[in-house]
Amino acid sequence: MTRGVRMSVYAIPVVLVMAFSFAFFIVQTWAAGDAAKGEKVYKANCAVCHGDKGDGKGPGGAALTPKPTDFTSPAGMKGIDDTRLHKSIIEGRPGTAMIGFAKTMSAGDIEDVIAYITTLGGFGKVK
Ligand code: HEC
């Protein structure tokens, strides 16, 4: 084999892997929202009740019944899947202090804040 042929044999899989990773990255950002941006949205709109760390202990939530959800706790997030996260944040939780954000927040910000909440430790652990 000549040197040139050997190089291209190695180059093909490398290029393929790069192309697939890039495509995967694009699909991920479209579908899942951006957790880093979501953290800013969270701090500005949600932390007052749900706490800076997402543990449900924000100053605005202390006196509430029910208490703001603790996003860091698998037990606290029990039964809250992706569909319910969307519904609760978009429409709110009737009869609670959790208001809907559809009117005050862009769809992109809602996706980003959801992406952030799912990184806090409680999401998806208990069905
Ligand atoms: C005024 C206080 C307050 C603010 C601000 C607030 N929440 Fe809540 N949130 C609550 C309370 C109280 C609950 C508990 C509702 C319940 O138990 O049904 C809750 C529950 C939730 C839940 C769980 C809902 C479910 O299906 O059980 C999610 C998710 C949530 N909040 C997200 C957010 C996000 C995201 C923001 C910011 C964009 C936000 N909250 C801002 C008070 C607040």
Side-chain angles (χ1 to χ4, degrees):
M1 235 191 277
T2 69
R3 193 181 151 82
V5 172
R6 216 176 323 143
M7 284 294 285
S8 48
V9 166
Y10 288 119
I12 290 165
V14 170
V15 169
L16 279 179
V17 166
M18 283 168 66
F20 277 119
S21 331
F22 186 64
F24 186 67
F25 171 77
I26 299 278
V27 169
Q28 280 273 301
T29 24
W30 276 339
D34 180 330
K37 283 194 207 146
E39 181 172 5
K40 298 202 182 83
V41 176
Y42 178 86
K43 294 271 154 69
N45 298 282
C46 324
V48 61
C49 290
H50 289 278
D52 272 349
K53 299 190 202 100
D55 57 7
K57 299 203 173 90
L64 297 176
T65 309
K67 293 248 170 293
T69 305
D70 175 357
F71 303 131
T72 67
S73 151
M77 290 291 276
K78 186 175 190 291
I80 303 179
D81 61 6
D82 194 58
T83 307
R84 180 162 153 187
L85 273 182
H86 279 81
K87 187 174 161 66
S88 296
I89 295 166
I90 290 167
E91 297 172 14
R93 299 274 293 164
T96 78
M98 179 62 198
I99 51 155
F101 287 86
K103 293 207 177 75
T104 53
M105 218 179 255
S106 72
D109 280 356
I110 289 177
E111 289 308 320
D112 292 344
V113 84
I114 288 173
Y116 176 64
I117 287 173
T118 61
T119 68
L120 296 176
F123 179 75
K125 301 274 162 63
V126 187
K127 284 242 162 86

